[in-house]
């Protein structure tokens, strides 16, 4: 039987997973969209729970997942996209195994735009940077926009949320050099630094890194650019730094 009602319990649950961070945390699951992402999630060991689709039956569905056909109207109701795909599904929020490691990690502070956070995770994955540490008011990792922008990297990256104090203690423990992407009188050209086995901290476009996090940094670095250009988007700046971190290992 095809589900056509927006009041259906599964439909309402999926809709709320896409809208509410608190609800995602409470349920321990999140909502995703697209047949390709479904295959990617399953291949990376995600615990797929509910799959709703219209039209052609999607492939790559684990046996443990519940599958239900719905009307196109229901898909459009659940999705926040203007032109949604024909598959939406939920998966358990994965937990990173082990403890965070500062060496070779990218630190994201107060990156509030979900698209930027997802793009940064995608870039980290592309350059072989396996550790992302989120500090402060970063966007929800399991926001559909974050997941979509990451192109599946949320399943492959080790991600941790740490307080500044926890980050400070981790730095004391590992004794890793931390570079901050920040403009200042003592800032150095990024090309003068060796970023392998170090950590790099990136702040948001508006305010950059906080004074508290800058205190943890051993050195500040800047990206040289044309004088008429004031700054780069945070995700673009992060890509440059991560390339410098990884280039000798690629």
């Amino acid at each position: 039987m095809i589900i056509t009602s927006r009041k259906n319990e599964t439909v309402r649950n999926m809709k709320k997973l896409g809208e509410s961070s608190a609800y995602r945390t409470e349920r321990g699951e999140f909502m995703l969209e697209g047949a390709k992402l479904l295959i990617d999630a399953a291949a990376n060991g995600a615990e797929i729970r509910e799959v709703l689709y219209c039209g052609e039956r999607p492939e790559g569905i684990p046996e443990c997942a519940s599958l239900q056909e719905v009307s196109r109207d229901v898909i459009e109701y659940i999705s926040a996209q203007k032109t949604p795909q024909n598959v939406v599904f939920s998966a358990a929020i994965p937990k990173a195994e082990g403890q965070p490691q500062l060496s070779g990690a990218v630190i994201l502070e107060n990156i509030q735009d979900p698209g930027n956070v997802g793009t940064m995770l995608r870039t980290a994955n592309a350059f072989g940077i396996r550790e992302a540490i989120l500090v402060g008011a970063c966007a929800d990792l399991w926001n559909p926009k974050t997941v979509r922008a990451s192109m599946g990297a949320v399943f492959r990256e080790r991600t941790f949320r740490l307080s500044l104090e926890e980050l400070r203690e981790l730095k004391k423990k590992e004794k890793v050099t931390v570079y901050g992407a920040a403009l200042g009188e003592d800032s150095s050209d990024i090309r003068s630094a060796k970023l392998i086995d170090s950590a790099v901290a990136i702040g948001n476009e508006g305010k950059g890194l906080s004074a508290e996090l800058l205190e943890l940094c051993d050195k500040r670095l800047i990206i040289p650019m044309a004088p008429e250009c004031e700054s780069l988007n945070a995700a673009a700046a992060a890509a440059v730094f991560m390339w410098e971190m990884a280039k000798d290992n690629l």
Side-chain angles (χ1 to χ4, degrees):
M1 183 178 70
I2 299 176
I3 294 176
T4 59
S5 174
R6 297 180 179 185
K7 295 181 179 180
N8 176 275
E9 184 177 349
T10 300
V11 172
R12 292 172 64 184
N13 176 65
M14 199 76 73
K15 175 72 171 177
K16 200 168 181 179
L17 287 175
E19 294 179 334
S20 171
S21 175
Y23 187 70
R24 289 191 288 269
T25 300
E26 176 189 333
R27 296 277 300 183
E29 62 182 338
F30 62 114
M31 187 270 283
L32 309 92
E33 302 183 48
K36 184 179 183 301
L37 192 54
L38 174 60
I39 294 172
D40 198 9
N44 282 279
E47 181 189 331
I48 310 299
R49 293 183 174 175
E50 299 274 359
V51 180
L52 304 181
Y53 76 99
C54 68
E56 185 177 349
R57 185 182 189 277
E59 299 178 355
I61 303 169
E63 292 183 2
C64 60
S66 171
L67 177 66
Q68 180 64 56
E69 186 175 2
V70 299
S71 65
R72 177 65 185 176
D73 179 68
V74 165
I75 293 287
E76 292 174 350
Y77 169 68
I78 294 171
S79 175
Q81 298 189 67
K82 290 183 178 179
T83 308
Q85 300 185 52
N86 288 335
V87 177
V88 297
F89 63 101
S90 64
I93 293 176
K95 295 181 180 179
E97 297 181 357
Q99 298 299 313
Q101 296 179 350
L102 197 54
S103 177
V106 59
I107 302 165
L108 309 180
E109 186 192 32
N110 298 329
I111 308 296
Q112 298 176 340
D113 182 82
N116 275 345
V117 172
T119 298
M120 290 176 181
L121 292 179
R122 180 183 181 184
T123 303
N125 185 241
F127 292 154
I129 296 169
R130 299 301 181 192
E131 202 95 356
I133 298 174
L134 279 61
V135 179
C138 282
D140 182 5
L141 277 175
W142 314 112
N143 182 307
K145 293 180 180 178
T146 309
V147 177
R148 187 162 59 248
S150 81
M151 294 295 287
V154 290
F155 300 113
R156 297 185 288 272
E157 289 293 302
R158 277 167 47 89
T159 57
F160 296 88
R161 283 190 180 269
L162 300 182
S163 66
L164 278 168
E165 184 56 37
E166 288 171 329
L167 184 62
R168 187 177 293 110
E169 290 302 315
L170 185 61
K171 185 173 186 291
K172 288 180 181 179
K173 178 182 177 182
E174 292 193 26
K175 296 180 174 60
V176 170
T177 300
V178 178
Y179 292 97
L183 181 65
E185 293 182 359
D186 58 345
S187 297
S188 302
D189 189 316
I190 187 175
R191 294 170 294 185
S192 68
K194 295 292 184 181
L195 303 186
I196 295 176
D197 297 325
S198 64
V200 169
I202 309 290
N204 67 27
E205 295 98 324
K207 297 181 179 179
L209 293 170
S210 68
E212 292 79 9
L213 201 148
L214 281 172
E215 288 179 1
L216 294 178
C217 296
D218 299 287
K219 196 169 186 178
R220 302 183 187 191
L221 298 177
I222 57 172
I223 301 170
M225 60 186 74
E228 65 270 17
C229 183
E230 182 179 341
S231 65
L232 289 173
N233 168 275
V240 175
F241 275 91
M242 285 189 273
W243 162 251
E244 289 291 336
M245 292 171 71
K247 65 181 181 180
D248 292 338
N249 293 329
L250 295 173

